[in-house]
Amino acid sequence: MPKIALNFEDGVTKIINALPYEKVSDAAYREGINIPLDCADGACGTCKCKVKAGEFDPGDYIDEALSEEEAEQGFGLACQIVPETDIIVEILASSAACKVVAETYVSTITAVNYLSAEIVQLKVQLPEAKQIEFLAGQYANIEVPGSEETRSYSFTNKSNENELEFLIRLIPDGLMSNFLRDVAKVGETLNITAPIGSFYVRTLENPTLLIAGGTGIAPIISMLEDISISDNKQPITVIYGATTDENLVEIERIKAFASTQNITLELCVSNQEDSSFTKGYATQWINNEYLTSSTYDVYICGPNVMVDAVKQAIETNQITVDNFYTEKFVPTGSVTA
């Protein structure tokens, strides 16, 4: 049975199974998900959505409900779309409006590993062999014990695993940072709400750049986990930068992906003069001499200044980009991948 990943405007994702020849709206309503719907006959356009990945039969509809230009851009009508493969559908409404709530899981800490003085790998296990199904690149909200606040971190593992992994940068006097440094122990419980986010890997149809700064490598690793079990034929360039050598973490893991996929890895360090890696920033590879394909898809996760600098380098060097997906680091309480 095809899977339908419904990604709502607020980033909450719900993954459901479709019965053979079942339309998206029928599958959603069977699962109690009230996506926008009116005529259910391809005539009004109320259930307009956008298919971001996968193959589907668009069904029958009138031009007033969906224009030819919209159809060419990947839009369709949920009341007519029949999935032919697993698909990702962006619903043009919030999860709350569709009566969908991201599920909260009680997990148990299994490891707090220091990958550097500033970066911790947090591992937690879900109860009773439970698994979280998510789109590679998405994140979870983790409640800080002893408070009512949450912090957001991208999954590093692949979907449908009982043990979850996160990379967390420790910051001075940060709420989660203080907990991990001073309190966290194996066996303690953490409440995790997931999956959330609109930053996820689509089917690769162009040469692709995966660009990360610091712990922004977390969702990129999850994407590579997903790509490694796909039939991807597109070349991938991973550009990964950090402030110091020790903060370039999980390098061997990334190299292992490169050994089985068409992946080029570029590493750089910005604030260490005696670095073992290339000195500088990710933008040094954003030029026409290095990027020679006719067009690219770009996924980038990192500090705002890095994301903006890459965007500027793409524009300055007139690099053709079909799709640009980003997850910026934003203030506490939001995504801090």
Side-chain angles (χ1 to χ4, degrees):
M1 294 187 295
K3 290 184 180 295
I4 305 171
L6 302 172
N7 189 249
F8 299 91
E9 284 185 332
D10 51 358
V12 171
T13 296
K14 183 71 173 179
I15 300 177
I16 61 177
N17 291 314
L19 299 175
Y21 310 109
E22 188 175 31
K23 296 171 182 177
V24 168
S25 60
D26 291 338
Y29 275 81
R30 180 169 50 79
E31 294 284 343
I33 302 170
N34 296 333
I35 62 176
L37 190 69
D38 194 357
C39 74
D41 198 32
C44 71
T46 301
C47 63
K48 189 179 297 179
C49 56
K50 189 169 188 179
V51 180
K52 299 299 293 184
E55 302 296 325
F56 63 97
D57 179 348
D60 298 319
Y61 51 84
I62 64 174
D63 291 343
E64 286 76 8
L66 186 74
S67 70
E68 183 177 344
E69 182 180 6
E70 287 175 319
E72 290 175 351
Q73 294 172 349
F75 286 94
L77 302 180
C79 74
Q80 295 298 306
I81 292 172
V82 176
E84 296 175 338
T85 65
D86 293 351
I87 64 173
I88 300 171
V89 181
E90 291 189 348
I91 301 297
L92 308 182
S94 70
S95 61
C98 300
K99 299 183 179 180
V100 174
V101 178
E103 188 171 352
T104 298
Y105 304 81
V106 178
S107 67
T108 303
I109 297 175
T110 55
V112 180
N113 300 322
Y114 277 77
L115 304 187
S116 78
E118 298 179 8
I119 298 175
V120 162
Q121 179 194 58
L122 173 66
K123 293 186 176 184
V124 301
Q125 190 165 27
L126 299 172
E128 300 174 358
K130 275 186 172 290
Q131 299 175 338
I132 297 179
E133 190 168 14
F134 60 88
L135 305 175
Q138 289 191 301
Y139 65 90
N141 284 337
I142 304 179
E143 184 178 306
V144 183
S147 78
E148 295 183 354
E149 295 192 46
T150 62
R151 296 294 182 265
S152 304
Y153 303 103
S154 300
F155 295 101
T156 310
N157 55 287
K158 59 177 177 285
S159 180
N160 285 312
E161 292 191 333
N162 178 248
E163 187 173 62
L164 313 176
E165 298 177 15
F166 305 93
L167 295 180
I168 299 174
R169 178 175 174 263
L170 302 179
I171 60 175
D173 206 30
L175 193 61
M176 181 63 82
S177 298
N178 288 343
F179 168 75
L180 292 173
R181 272 191 298 254
D182 305 329
V183 181
K185 294 182 178 62
V186 171
E188 292 193 44
T189 60
L190 290 175
N191 294 328
I192 293 179
T193 301
I196 307 170
S198 298
F199 183 66
Y200 55 84
V201 68
R202 282 72 169 172
T203 302
L204 302 190
E205 297 180 349
N206 294 309
T208 300
L209 306 180
L210 304 179
I211 306 174
T215 50
I217 195 62
I220 301 301
I221 291 173
S222 183
M223 290 178 178
L224 290 170
E225 290 277 12
D226 186 81
I227 292 167
S228 69
I229 57 175
S230 72
D231 60 352
N232 171 59
K233 300 296 191 300
Q234 296 294 339
I236 299 168
T237 300
V238 178
I239 300 175
Y240 175 24
T243 53
T244 63
D245 284 13
E246 74 162 352
N247 285 338
L248 284 173
V249 298
E250 299 280 44
I251 294 175
E252 294 307 314
R253 186 173 179 181
I254 300 169
K255 287 180 177 178
F257 293 124
S259 68
T260 60
Q261 298 281 320
N262 186 8
I263 295 175
T264 301
L265 175 61
E266 303 290 0
L267 304 169
C268 61
V269 167
S270 60
N271 295 343
Q272 183 176 325
E273 290 300 329
D274 60 344
S275 172
S276 302
F277 305 100
T278 303
K279 184 75 166 65
Y281 301 92
T283 49
Q284 64 190 290
W285 288 286
I286 311 300
N287 58 68
N288 289 293
E289 289 72 29
Y290 185 80
L291 302 177
T292 57
S293 294
S294 60
T295 189
Y296 288 89
D297 286 343
V298 178
Y299 294 81
I300 179 170
C301 183
N304 293 2
V305 64
M306 185 197 77
V307 175
D308 293 339
V310 168
K311 283 183 176 179
Q312 184 60 56
I314 287 172
E315 181 178 343
T316 299
N317 290 274
Q318 298 183 320
I319 307 295
T320 301
V321 172
D322 274 1
N323 298 287
F324 190 99
Y325 306 104
T326 182
E327 189 89 278
K328 289 184 176 182
F329 290 176
V330 288
T332 298
S334 300
V335 178
T336 54

